[in-house]
Amino acid sequence: MTNSAQYDIQSIRDDFPILERKIFDKPLVYLDNGASTQHPTAVINAVKNLYEHSYANVHRGVHTLSQEASNLYDDARVKVRGFIHASCVHEVVFTSGATESINLVAQCYARPRLKKGDEILITHMEHHSNIVPWQMVCEQTGAELKVVPISDKGELEMDQFHALLSEKTKMVSVVHVSNALGTVNPITSIINAAHELGVPVLVDGAQAIPHLPVNVKNLDADFYVFSGHKIYGPTGIGVLYGKEKLLNEMPPYKGGGDMILSVTFEETIYNQLPYKFEAGTPNIAGAVGLGAAIDYVNKIGIGTIAAHEHGLLMYATSKLEQIDGLRIIGEADQKAGLISFVLDGVHPHDIGTILDGEGVAIRAGHHCAQPIMERYNVPATARASFAMYNTFQEIDVLAEAIKKTINMFN
Amino acid sequence: MDNLRDLYQEVILDHNKNPRNFRKMEEPDGFAHGKNPLCGDQIDVYLKITDGVVEDVSFDGNGCAICTSSASMMTTALKGKTEAEAEALFNSFHHALTDEGTFPDDVPLGKLEVLTGVKDYPVRVKCATLAWHTFDAALKKMQGNVSTE
Ligand SMILES: Cc1ncc(COP(=O)(O)O)c(C=O)c1O
């Protein structure tokens, strides 16, 4: 549990202007953070400040503004490096988001290496963005996709993982925290086992990065990906962390400006890391906003945030468990940041609409994880996902709104 | 909550709880599977058509209250209608939920009128129209089959 003297929730809430919103005359209770988080003034101002004072294209002009914008853009990369504890700044590639990062690795790392008979190992709890890019590689190379099953509780069946991991496995890609179940996966054991066979591992950290301290070096992850908009930053910016050696071995993803050292029509010499993977004018404001978001998270402390959210999760779990007819989907021992649930006789879509009438924003649907819905035999779930600014009182509002929903339908 | 009562009217909640004609049909003349990938609504619509008249129509599947009640009301509204009348009702219903203004060929919606509250919830319109689109697909598929035979 968090110590309220240390955790000044009100001053945090004051930093997020949107939390003032009323929805149908009720205070907004924003519990759709798994889809996207809201933005503190510091992030909004960083983007505003860039556009009002320092905006120009990066790495191109000798003039002052281009210098300033380039510095701000490069600073953002330095901040990301520090936040995920990468060895060096050029291991941090800016992309448009987790999805693009995974596609980049699939196309530039896996595709050139894989052939018929090879296998790619993922899990049953992946987001579509960590399924489809690998299916595409399989189609392109003849490799086969293998899937680690999950238990009724929503945990990876690790004995199955070890059984499926073999000489044939050429790539492992696994979600750190499941967006549909909240499960925190035993990433370290997975990486260690894969490395014993010399297999590289991509970790989809989209849902982990806002909730847990991440240290890519200690994890020994080969690739780690996330999106800025799930950690209080802007949309359209994301990160691919890759070990220098692997990134160097990979061909560029896109061709264009900024990714080359010299171009003639006979030969092009690619730029060094990370620019090799950043063709074209990048999302400058997005990177700057992400840098500010990381500063903000660092100011509060990711460990402190994790503790607060763990308190919310425990409290919400105990509250929701008491509601008759409510079933929580995903009851792993290690969970972070969210609760998926279904109600007897009420479709999640209706839950979402009725809760919205109470000012409570949740996600209803398959969460881009249809295989999970199939696994638990539900068409969809409702999902409340937490962030640093959520309060225990908001959980009470959620629970009351759920009870109202049940009453309405019975 | 009050405005939500316009959406979740008693009739709608009742059809959701006790959907009419909620059954698989053996050997239907027409059949289609409808899906709203955004929210996971899935519905099968079965048709029996005799001499151009909807003799029986049923559905099964899994959807939200708006989807299920709309499907249920659709089946009761369609029985006994000619194919042309059914299509006209589909178009009118669709207009009522998605378009501004009036269309010259629109027919009265009758009991389906209660579903027009969905118009104020744009993301839910697809829920209300899924069964109708599926019915339309079943009918078109049938007509298609007939013409190629
Ligand atoms: C686990 C997980 N992976 C990947 C993604 C994709 O992120 P984006 O859409 O920002 O690329 C998401 C987003 O919901 C996610 O939850």
Side-chain angles (χ1 to χ4, degrees), chain A residues 24 26 345-347 349-358 363-366 370 379-380 404-405 408-410, chain B residues 1 3-5 7-8 10 13 16-17 35-41 62-67 121 123-124 127:
Chain A
F24 300 114
K26 309 225 168 72
V346 192
H347 191 279
H349 220 172
D350 298 311
I351 304 174
T353 297
I354 293 166
L355 262 52
D356 186 48
E358 297 293 314
R363 173 91 186 263
H366 54 56
Q370 284 178 342
K404 267 195 185 173
T405 308
M408 191 164 170
F409 274 75
N410 286 296
Chain B
M1 211 58 178
N3 32 10
L4 279 177
R5 278 283 169 203
L7 179 62
Y8 294 104
E10 284 306 327
L13 292 174
N16 177 51
K17 235 170 144 179
K35 215 168 162 169
N36 183 349
L38 204 71
C39 50
D41 291 342
N62 195 316
C64 65
I66 305 301
C67 171
Y121 299 82
V123 291
R124 306 303 299 275
C127 309

Side-chain angles (χ1 to χ4, degrees), chain A residues 34-35 97-100 102 127 129 175 177 179 204 206-207 227 229-230:
Chain A
T99 300
E100 187 180 38
I102 297 171
H127 187 276
S129 63
V175 71
V177 173
N179 67 310
D204 172 2
Q207 296 291 341
S227 295
H229 70 94
K230 293 189 200 284

Side-chain angles (χ1 to χ4, degrees), chain A residues 104-120:
Chain A
L104 195 163
V105 175
Q107 288 302 310
C108 300
Y109 182 83
R111 186 180 179 185
R113 282 169 182 72
L114 268 57
K115 52 181 194 325
K116 206 170 153 52
D118 291 342
E119 292 175 359
I120 299 170

Side-chain angles (χ1 to χ4, degrees), chain A residues 148-167:
Chain A
V148 181
I150 49 182
S151 69
D152 289 342
K153 272 173 84 176
E155 293 173 337
L156 288 181
E157 306 221 4
M158 285 303 284
D159 51 339
Q160 287 295 310
F161 164 74
H162 290 291
L164 285 165
L165 184 69
S166 77
E167 305 285 301

Side-chain angles (χ1 to χ4, degrees), chain B residues 14 21-22 25 32 49 52 65-67 69 88 99 102 110 116 121-122 130 133 138-139 143:
Chain B
D14 175 61
N21 303 303
F22 186 73
M25 194 187 291
I49 306 269
I66 305 301
C67 171
S69 58
D99 295 302
T102 49
T116 55
Y121 299 82
L130 179 65
H133 282 291
L139 196 61
Q143 292 164 341

Side-chain angles (χ1 to χ4, degrees), chain B residues 40-59:
Chain B
D41 291 342
Q42 297 209 36
I43 180 171
D44 290 328
V45 170
Y46 308 89
L47 280 180
K48 208 164 235 24
I49 306 269
T50 307
D51 299 330
V53 173
V54 180
E55 190 187 320
D56 194 11
V57 47
S58 71
F59 77 105

Side-chain angles (χ1 to χ4, degrees), chain B residues 64-82:
Chain B
C64 65
I66 305 301
C67 171
T68 305
S69 58
S70 176
S72 170
M73 284 187 234
M74 176 188 82
T75 59
T76 55
L78 284 178
K79 271 196 208 179
K81 293 253 184 321
T82 65

